[in-house]
């Protein structure tokens, strides 16, 4: 596996691959890799001749006061694990080269960025869309795999690709979970052993919601109340949002009569965890 930091070096290698007619799969990440990331990498490998994984903790997608500085990083460990996965290139550009002095161009996917995490993380999806477009321009992938764990991010990227006529196919990948159901996340490392026990509240709440809907409760305001009470009965938890939205437009709904995305953001101690599930009511 090659490790490339320089943008021009990455572009040159991609040109060479394209010249040879090789297809290219891409998995953008912020590193501190886990099985969720590796599942995306394996999917990219199935679909392409060459696979690039990027590791870049993107400063412009963190709002002031968020965890940019303390976001977990371990490039040496990630490198060894990606090598084992048979990845061709680990691309880890430097912040100074991605955002040199004078940088001032940003991508905004408007409506899809307004609700859910967008409401609480100012500028987050502008940061995400901007870095992903830059990475797509550098790596020029045929396909790119994104996890449904970050469901709103996936929708924002799909919309950007469509709106800006990008030649990349976005491949969604289902959420990879720990044995007890907790969605894998680099941020799970923030959890103390006691908080880790409470973190299961998110997954349990998604299942509880499905159960309640299938028992006939379709009213979102009542479902939200019950879920908040349920989640906050676990120690160290504080709900940031519980939203029921249309899975494509991400607009809030009042009743769960159609397939509906339930999205959660919950603080467990200092860790802000998210999870989601599409709830399909049995008629
Ligand atoms: P991150 O490094 O957290 O920015 O994530 C990089 C990519 O991995 C994104 O497309 C995420 O949605 C995806 N991802 C992270 N955790 C999981 C998970 N538990 N299951 C599936 N995909 C994930």
């Amino acid at each position: 596996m090659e490790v490339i930091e320089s943008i021009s070096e990455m572009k040159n290698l991609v040109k060479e691959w394209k010249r040879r007619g090789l297809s290219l799969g891409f998995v953008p990440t912020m590193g501190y890799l886990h099985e969720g990331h590796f599942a995306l990498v394996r999917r990219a490998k199935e679909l392409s001749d060459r696979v690039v994984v990027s590791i870049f903790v993107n400063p412009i997608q963190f709002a002031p006061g968020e965890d940019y500085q303390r976001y977990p990083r371990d490039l040496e460990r990630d490198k060894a694990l990606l090598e084992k996965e048979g990845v061709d290139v680990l691309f880890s550009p430097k912040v100074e080269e991605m955002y040199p002095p004078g940088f001032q161009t940003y991508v905004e996917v408007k409506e899809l960025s307004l609700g859910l995490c967008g409401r609480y993380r100012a500028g987050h999806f502008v940061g995400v869309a901007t870095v992903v477009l830059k990475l797509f321009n550098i790596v020029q992938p045929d396909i790119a795999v994104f996890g449904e764990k970050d469901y709103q991010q996936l929708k924002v990227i799909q919309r950007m690709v469509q709106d800006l006529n990008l030649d990349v196919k976005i491949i969604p990948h289902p959420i990879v979970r720990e044995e007890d159901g907790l969605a894998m996340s680099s941020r799970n490392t923030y959890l103390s052993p006691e908080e880790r026990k409470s973190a299961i509240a998110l997954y349990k709440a998604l299942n509880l919601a499905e159960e309640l809907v299938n028992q006939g409760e379709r009213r979102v305001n009542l479902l939200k109340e019950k879920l908040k009470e349920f989640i906050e009965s676990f120690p160290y938890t504080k709900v940031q949002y519980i939203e029921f939205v249309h899975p494509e437009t991400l607009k809030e709904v009042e009743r769960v009569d159609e397939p509906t995305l339930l999205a959660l953001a919950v603080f467990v101690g200092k860790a802000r965890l998210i999870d989601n599930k599409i709830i399909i009511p049995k008629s």
Side-chain angles (χ1 to χ4, degrees):
M1 184 179 74
E2 255 189 274
V3 181
I4 296 181
E5 280 188 1
S6 136
I7 292 174
S8 61
E9 210 179 303
M10 186 71 245
K11 282 184 159 182
N12 286 338
L13 180 57
V14 167
K15 261 190 210 145
E16 168 63 16
W17 284 341
K18 299 257 161 182
R19 204 182 48 73
R20 290 163 58 195
L22 299 169
S23 67
L24 177 47
F26 180 43
V27 181
T29 82
M30 298 205 299
Y32 214 75
L33 303 173
H34 51 67
E35 276 303 314
H37 296 115
F38 298 131
L40 272 54
V41 169
R42 286 168 206 145
R43 187 79 190 108
K45 269 187 74 98
E46 284 167 10
L47 296 172
S48 13
D49 299 320
R50 293 288 181 273
V51 172
V52 174
V53 174
S54 64
I55 295 185
F56 182 64
V57 184
N58 177 34
I60 69 166
Q61 74 185 63
F62 290 79
E66 289 187 350
D67 56 345
Y68 174 66
Q69 296 299 342
R70 67 187 181 109
Y71 194 84
R73 293 163 170 89
D74 190 345
L75 197 61
E76 285 311 307
R77 174 179 161 277
D78 288 347
K79 215 190 284 182
L81 293 169
L82 289 175
E83 186 113 47
K84 264 203 212 142
E85 292 292 330
V87 166
D88 296 283
V89 170
L90 162 56
F91 178 50
S92 62
K94 290 266 172 280
V95 172
E96 302 76 45
E97 203 189 358
M98 288 292 273
Y99 302 113
F103 182 92
Q104 53 188 286
T105 305
Y106 297 87
V107 183
E108 184 177 11
V109 179
K110 282 188 176 275
E111 281 172 37
L112 287 169
S113 303
L114 291 176
L116 305 178
C117 292
R119 179 168 301 155
Y120 299 92
R121 304 191 66 189
H124 174 66
F125 288 110
V126 167
V128 167
T130 302
V131 80
V132 171
L133 181 60
K134 281 172 69 70
L135 291 168
F136 283 175
N137 283 333
I138 296 163
V139 175
Q140 301 271 314
D142 298 287
I143 63 120
V145 190
F146 285 82
E148 289 171 354
K149 157 98 189 325
D150 301 278
Y151 190 95
Q152 187 175 17
Q153 167 173 286
L154 169 66
K155 291 295 137 187
V156 163
I157 299 303
Q158 285 174 326
R159 190 74 232 177
M160 174 182 79
V161 165
Q162 195 177 336
D163 288 354
L164 299 183
N165 310 97
L166 305 185
D167 280 329
V168 54
K169 184 165 187 230
I170 303 301
I171 311 287
H173 192 287
I175 300 175
V176 178
R177 298 180 177 284
E178 302 284 356
E179 231 165 78
D180 65 353
L182 173 64
M184 290 193 179
S185 166
S186 310
R187 289 188 168 99
N188 290 348
T189 159
Y190 297 149
L191 300 167
S192 71
E194 286 306 305
E195 290 163 351
R196 171 63 185 81
K197 287 184 199 154
S198 287
I200 191 60
L202 284 86
Y203 178 66
K204 287 203 161 147
L206 296 174
N207 291 334
L208 171 63
E210 189 171 57
E211 243 175 72
L212 293 170
V213 167
N214 285 328
Q215 285 163 11
E217 182 55 84
R218 302 289 167 88
R219 294 166 296 182
V220 161
N221 53 357
L222 285 160
L223 287 164
K224 280 188 186 181
E225 265 174 40
K226 285 190 179 157
L227 294 177
K228 181 171 158 61
E229 195 183 331
F230 174 78
I231 292 170
E232 291 185 346
S233 71
F234 290 77
Y236 316 109
T237 61
K238 178 87 190 107
V239 169
Q240 185 177 58
Y241 70 74
I242 298 171
E243 298 288 359
F244 290 82
V245 300
H246 185 284
E248 293 305 317
T249 63
L250 306 186
K251 293 250 187 327
E252 287 180 39
V253 299
E254 283 177 13
R255 292 181 55 83
V256 186
D257 293 325
E258 304 289 332
T260 299
L261 180 82
L262 167 55
L264 310 174
V266 178
F267 282 97
V268 182
K270 282 203 174 76
R272 179 182 176 279
L273 305 183
I274 57 172
D275 204 342
N276 69 79
K277 181 178 191 138
I278 294 184
I279 297 188
I280 303 173
K282 293 188 190 131
S283 48

